[in-house]
Amino acid sequence: VQLVESGGGLVQAGESLTLSCRASGFRFAGYALGWFRQAPGKEREAVSCITSDDLSTHYVDSVKGRFTIARDNRDQTWNLQMNALKPEDTAVYYCAATLYDSSCRMKPIRFMPSDYWGQGIQVTVSS
């Protein structure tokens, strides 16, 4: 199993960035997919999640209206479109996959360490 993030980098406040995660080694279509982030000195927090049936998306309040998650089962990828970025969005972003759609509906979104995780990618937003 492999999850590989791409698309991170350094942007200025107000700009946009799209993160992508490509998965391999498991039956992608049956998994809920998520994005998490961890800022320096802080705990990892859930950012967004999309259910396996692509019918339900969930976001942490701080990114609602700015971030959009989408999945492509054919390419086994999912993206996080991030608009109107703020310095407080600076973090290492992780993609993750879980068999449990219920994980998406939890508040906060909760994936387990035993779920599939990417290695993380840096996003830095300068003011």
Side-chain angles (χ1 to χ4, degrees):
V1 172
Q2 193 171 25
L3 279 63
V4 180
E5 300 98 340
S6 62
L10 171 64
V11 297
Q12 293 187 336
E15 294 184 340
S16 299
L17 206 59
T18 300
L19 300 181
S20 295
C21 186
R22 180 174 295 276
S24 60
F26 62 98
R27 188 180 177 187
F28 181 87
Y31 281 69
L33 309 170
W35 287 96
F36 294 73
R37 66 186 180 186
Q38 187 166 18
K42 296 187 177 181
E43 293 188 353
R44 185 177 300 187
E45 70 166 346
V47 176
S48 181
C49 187
I50 184 167
T51 53
S52 62
D53 58 9
D54 202 11
L55 295 179
S56 180
T57 58
H58 305 269
Y59 301 91
V60 66
D61 287 346
S62 60
V63 307
K64 284 181 180 177
R66 300 190 296 122
F67 289 13
T68 303
I69 190 171
R71 64 187 293 158
D72 186 333
N73 286 352
R74 182 176 55 186
D75 291 342
Q76 297 200 161
T77 59
W78 63 107
N79 295 337
L80 185 68
Q81 173 69 42
M82 305 184 293
N83 298 327
L85 282 161
K86 304 176 181 180
E88 50 264 42
D89 295 317
T90 295
V92 176
Y93 283 71
Y94 299 87
C95 62
T98 181
L99 272 173
Y100 307 104
D101 280 343
S102 57
S103 295
C104 268
R105 301 187 183 97
M106 291 182 176
K107 291 186 182 296
I109 298 165
R110 186 180 303 168
F111 282 29
M112 301 301 292
S114 54
D115 291 323
Y116 300 143
W117 292 85
Q119 291 299 306
I121 192 164
Q122 179 70 45
V123 172
T124 303
V125 184
S126 63
S127 58

